[in-house]
C-alpha cells in the first residue's frame, strides 16, 4: 500500500501562534477587568428597573382627574373642587390677605393742608390719621395690580373758618370731584370698577353729604360720583338716612392718643372720681331756630334747665383746655347729640374710664364687634332726659362697678384711638378689619375667583 508522505509539522510555528494569541488576550488585564465589571453593572441596572416596574404596577397611586394647564397653574388651583377656599383666605394673614393701594395725590389734596397744625389734631382729623397709618402699614401695597382696595387721601376738613375757627367744608364736593378726575385720568383702576373698590374718609358731621346742617345735607345727599365707593365716616344711624346711602363703615372721631396718655398719667383710671355726672360744651339757654331746626334738638337745653342747679351734675358751658382731667374725675359723662348724633366726648369718655351716657336716638356706634357698647355705656332716650338723674342714681347703686371694670379694659380704649403707626386692635386696624369684610367688592378677588 502506497503511503502518502506528509510534510513534517513545524512545531516551532505552532507554539509561536499560541503564544501570540495568549499575549493578545492578556495584553491589558486591567482593562479586561473593567469591561467585565461594567457588564455586571448594566445587567444589575436592568434587573432593578424591571423589579421596580413590577412593584409600581402592583401599588398604583390614585391620580386626580383635575386637568392641569401648565401655562396657567392658578387655573388648576381653582378647578380643584376639594379646595377649602375659606381656609385658603384665612391663611393669608390679617384682614384675609387684603391689600390696599394708596394713591399718591398732588399736595393740594392733602399735605398742603398740614401747614395748619390743627389739621392733624382736631375732631375731624381721622382723615389724616388713617392716611398716615396706612402709609406705614403692612396692608399697603405699592403694586396697584395686587390691590383689593384703593385709598384716596383727600383732606376736606382742614379749611378752618377765619370767623369762628370751625372747619368749613363748602369746598369738599369740588375737591373730591377733582381728586377723582385726577386718578381716573392717570390710572385705569377707577374706571375699571367705577369706583366700587375705592375708599374715602368723610369724618365730619353728616359724612359724605358734606354739609354741617342736617336738612341741607339730606337735601343734597351723597354726591353721585361717590355713591359707588366705600366711605369711612363718623356719621351713622340705625334708620334710613340719605347721608348713608352708600357703602360705609362707621369710624370714631379723632382724639389724640398722646393727650389721653398724658391725662391718665396724672389721673389713673382707678383714681378718685369725685364728679357724679359731667358735661362741658355748648348748652343754649334759649336755643335759636336755625333753618327750622334747634341745636341738639333742644336736648342740651333740657339738661341745663333740669340739672343746672343739681349739685350731682357738673355742667359747664364754656371751653376749658384741661377738660380731659375733669372727665378722668367723673363717673358718668353725658354725650348728647349736637348738630350730628356723634361727638368726640364718646371716645374721650371711654378712653378716660368715664361711663358714657349716650343721648342720641338711633346712633350707630363704631366697631361694635370690638367694643361691647352695651356693657360699657348707658343709652338714654332723648325724651327721657327728665329722668336722667333717677337713671344714673339707680346704676350707681347697682352695677356701676361692673360697667367700669368692662370699660377699663385697655383693648376697648385702643379700639377707638388712632396711632401714627397702625397697631393691632387700634382704630385704623378696626377700620381695616371692617373693610376686609367687603372683599366681595375687590376687583382682584372677583377676577381670581371667576377663573
Amino acid at each position: 500500500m502506497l503511503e502518502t508522505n506528509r510534510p513534517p509539522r513545524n512545531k516551532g510555528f505552532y507554539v509561536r501562534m499560541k503564544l501570540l494569541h495568549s499575549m493578545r488576550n492578556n495584553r491589558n488585564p486591567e482593562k479586561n477587568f473593567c469591561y467585565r465589571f461594567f457588564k455586571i453593572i448594566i445587567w444589575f441596572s436592568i434587573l432593578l428597573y424591571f423589579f421596580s416596574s413590577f412593584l409600581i404596577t402592583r401599588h398604583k397611586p390614585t391620580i386626580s382627574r383635575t386637568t392641569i394647564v401648565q401655562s396657567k397653574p392658578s387655573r388648576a388651583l381653582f378647578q380643584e373642587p376639594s379646595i377649602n377656599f375659606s381656609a385658603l383666605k384665612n391663611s393669608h394673614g390679617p384682614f384675609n390677605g387684603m391689600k390696599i393701594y394708596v394713591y399718591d395725590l398732588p399736595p393740594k389734596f392733602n399735605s398742603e393742608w398740614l401747614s395748619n397744625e390743627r389739621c392733624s389734631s382736631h375732631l375731624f382729623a381721622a382723615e389724616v390719621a388713617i392716611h398716615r397709618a396706612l402709609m406705614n402699614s403692612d396692608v399697603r401695597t405699592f403694586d396697584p395690580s395686587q390691590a383689593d382696595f384703593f385709598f384716596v387721601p383727600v383732606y376736606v376738613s382742614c379749611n378752618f373758618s377765619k370767623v369762628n375757627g370751625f372747619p368749613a367744608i363748602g369746598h369738599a364736593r369740588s375737591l373730591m370731584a377733582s381728586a377723582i378726575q385726577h386718578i381716573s385720568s392717570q390710572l385705569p383702576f377707577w374706571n375699571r370698577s367705577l369706583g366700587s373698590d375705592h375708599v374715602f374718609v368723610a369724618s365730619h358731621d353728616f359724612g359724605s353729604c358734606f354739609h354741617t346742617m342736617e336738612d341741607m345735607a339730606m337735601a343734597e345727599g351723597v354726591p353721585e360720583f361717590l355713591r359707588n365707593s366705600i366711605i369711612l365716616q363718623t356719621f351713622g344711624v340705625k334708620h334710613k338716612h340719605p347721608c348713608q346711602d352708600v357703602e360705609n363703615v362707621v369710624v370714631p372721631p379723632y382724639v389724640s392718643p398722646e393727650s389721653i396718655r398724658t391725662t391718665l398719667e396724672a389721673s389713673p383710671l382707678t383714681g378718685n372720681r369725685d364728679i357724679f355726672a359731667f358735661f362741658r360744651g355748648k348748652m343754649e339757654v334759649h336755643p335759636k331756630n336755625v333753618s327750622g331746626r334747634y341745636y341738639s334738638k333742644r336736648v342740651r337745653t333740657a339738661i341745663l334747665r333740669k340739672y343746672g342747679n343739681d349739685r350731682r351734675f357738673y355742667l359747664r358751658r364754656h371751653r376749658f383746655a384741661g377738660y380731659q382731667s375733669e372727665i378722668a374725675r367723673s363717673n358718668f359723662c353725658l354725650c348728647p347729640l349736637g348738630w350730628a348724633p356723634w361727638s368726640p366726648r364718646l371716645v374721650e369718655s371711654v378712653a378716660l374710664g368715664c361711663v358714657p351716657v349716650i343721648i342720641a336716638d338711633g346712633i350707630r356706634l363704631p366697631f361694635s364687634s370690638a367694643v361691647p357698647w352695651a356693657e360699657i355705656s348707658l343709652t338714654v332716650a332723648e325724651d327721657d332726659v327728665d329722668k336722667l338723674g333717677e337713671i344714673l342714681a339707680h346704676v350707681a347703686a347697682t352695677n356701676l362697678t361692673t360697667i367700669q371694670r368692662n370699660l377699663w379694659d385697655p383693648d376697648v380704649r385702643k379700639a377707638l384711638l388712632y396711632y401714627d403707626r397702625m397697631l393691632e386692635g387700634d382704630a385704623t386696624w378696626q377700620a381695616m378689619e371692617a373693610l376686609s369684610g367687603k372683599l366681595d367688592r375687590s376687583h382682584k378677588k372677583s377676577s381670581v375667583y371667576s377663573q
Side-chain angles (χ1 to χ4, degrees):
M1 188 172 190
L2 186 62
E3 199 174 287
T4 306
N5 292 326
R6 295 182 179 176
R9 177 179 293 180
N10 191 335
K11 291 184 179 181
F13 176 79
Y14 178 76
V15 170
R16 283 197 305 271
M17 290 301 292
K18 291 283 285 181
L19 181 60
L20 182 62
H21 180 71
S22 175
M23 288 178 63
R24 285 177 178 173
N25 286 341
N26 296 282
R27 180 174 295 171
N28 193 345
E30 183 178 342
K31 183 176 180 181
N32 192 37
F33 173 78
C34 291
Y35 172 74
R36 283 183 292 174
F37 181 76
F38 182 67
K39 285 204 313 184
I40 292 172
I41 293 297
I42 291 176
W43 278 108
F44 180 77
S45 300
I46 293 171
L47 289 174
L48 183 62
Y49 169 77
F50 284 112
F51 182 69
S52 300
S53 301
F54 171 74
L55 290 178
I56 291 173
T57 54
R58 284 179 60 92
H59 302 282
K60 189 179 297 183
T62 303
I63 304 298
S64 170
R65 294 185 179 181
T66 303
T67 302
I68 306 296
V69 181
Q70 296 295 336
S71 61
K72 295 182 179 180
S74 61
R75 290 183 62 87
L77 174 66
F78 291 105
Q79 286 172 349
E80 177 58 67
S82 62
I83 289 177
N84 185 333
F85 290 111
S86 177
L88 184 65
K89 288 196 298 181
N90 291 334
S91 67
H92 288 166
F95 317 125
N96 294 330
M98 178 182 73
K99 290 295 180 182
I100 297 179
Y101 179 79
V102 181
Y103 282 107
D104 184 14
L105 297 181
K108 68 177 183 178
F109 293 108
N110 42 56
S111 60
E112 279 187 3
W113 295 101
L114 294 175
S115 59
N116 187 327
E117 292 183 0
R118 284 187 63 201
C119 184
S120 58
S121 60
H122 71 132
L123 76 163
F124 295 156
E127 60 187 9
V128 180
I130 293 173
H131 182 203
R132 282 180 172 173
L134 284 180
M135 293 292 281
N136 299 312
S137 76
D138 292 337
V139 78
R140 182 187 182 189
T141 178
F142 292 89
D143 181 357
S145 67
Q146 296 301 311
D148 295 293
F149 295 112
F150 297 81
F151 185 77
V152 188
V154 184
Y155 303 167
V156 302
S157 303
C158 295
N159 183 29
F160 299 103
S161 169
K162 295 180 179 180
V163 177
N164 56 24
F166 296 144
I169 56 174
H171 68 302
R173 288 174 179 257
S174 60
L175 192 63
M176 283 286 191
S178 179
I180 292 171
Q181 174 62 33
H182 175 80
I183 62 176
S184 62
S185 63
Q186 297 292 318
L187 292 170
F189 307 106
W190 174 274
N191 296 326
R192 181 183 67 181
S193 66
L194 299 178
S196 65
D197 51 4
H198 282 57
V199 181
F200 299 81
V201 178
S203 53
H204 23 82
D205 294 85
F206 295 100
S208 53
C209 281
F210 300 119
H211 207 288
T212 56
M213 302 300 295
E214 187 172 15
D215 56 336
M216 296 295 293
M218 294 176 67
E220 295 187 14
V222 178
E224 187 68 33
F225 54 77
L226 283 181
R227 290 183 184 177
N228 203 34
S229 299
I230 303 171
I231 311 297
L232 308 181
Q233 59 183 45
T234 46
F235 172 76
V237 290
K238 296 175 182 177
H239 52 270
K240 185 174 177 57
H241 195 288
C243 296
Q244 57 185 17
D245 282 348
V246 61
E247 192 71 24
N248 66 84
V249 173
V250 176
V251 298
Y254 181 81
V255 172
S256 167
E258 181 61 24
S259 70
I260 296 296
R261 184 188 65 80
T262 302
T263 302
L264 289 177
E265 285 178 354
S267 304
L269 288 174
T270 56
N272 181 37
R273 294 184 178 269
D274 59 330
I275 298 175
F276 179 72
F278 170 76
F279 178 83
R280 180 183 287 277
K282 183 178 180 179
M283 290 184 289
E284 296 177 317
V285 179
H286 304 289
K288 302 176 184 66
N289 184 326
V290 180
S291 301
R293 293 175 180 268
Y294 291 91
Y295 183 70
S296 186
K297 299 181 182 178
R298 303 191 218 192
V299 167
R300 297 189 185 189
T301 298
I303 293 173
L304 181 62
R305 290 176 177 175
K306 176 73 175 180
Y307 302 105
N309 295 319
D310 190 324
R311 297 182 64 181
R312 297 174 302 170
F313 284 76
Y314 188 91
L315 307 178
R316 298 293 185 271
R317 299 174 57 196
H318 304 291
R319 293 176 180 273
F320 170 51
Y323 76 98
Q324 284 190 354
S325 64
E326 297 173 324
I327 294 175
R329 292 170 48 203
S330 303
N331 287 289
F332 298 102
C333 288
L334 308 186
C335 301
L337 73 163
W339 286 119
W342 62 271
S343 84
R345 292 176 187 83
L346 191 61
V347 174
E348 291 168 321
S349 299
V350 173
L352 295 171
C354 179
V355 177
V357 182
I358 303 168
I359 311 172
D361 292 354
I363 187 174
R364 192 154 52 97
L365 299 168
F367 309 146
S368 57
S369 61
V371 180
W373 290 106
E375 299 173 13
I376 66 168
S377 66
L378 302 178
T379 299
V380 176
E382 294 167 13
D383 289 341
D384 289 339
V385 166
D386 285 347
K387 305 174 185 175
L388 187 57
E390 300 172 27
I391 294 171
L392 298 186
H394 174 74
V395 173
T398 55
N399 60 338
L400 175 59
T401 303
T402 301
I403 296 174
Q404 287 176 330
R405 189 183 306 117
N406 297 331
L407 180 63
W408 295 346
D409 182 346
D411 288 340
V412 172
R413 179 168 61 255
K414 182 194 287 187
L416 297 176
L417 295 176
Y418 300 94
Y419 294 86
D420 286 344
R421 298 189 69 89
M422 184 169 67
L423 304 177
E424 182 175 354
D426 77 354
T428 305
W429 195 96
Q430 299 295 345
M432 295 302 103
E433 182 70 15
L435 199 57
S436 70
K438 302 180 185 297
L439 280 171
D440 57 324
R441 299 172 71 92
S442 164
H443 184 274
K444 184 188 80 172
K445 285 283 193 295
S446 61
S447 297
V448 171
Y449 278 81
S450 67
Q451 295 183 26

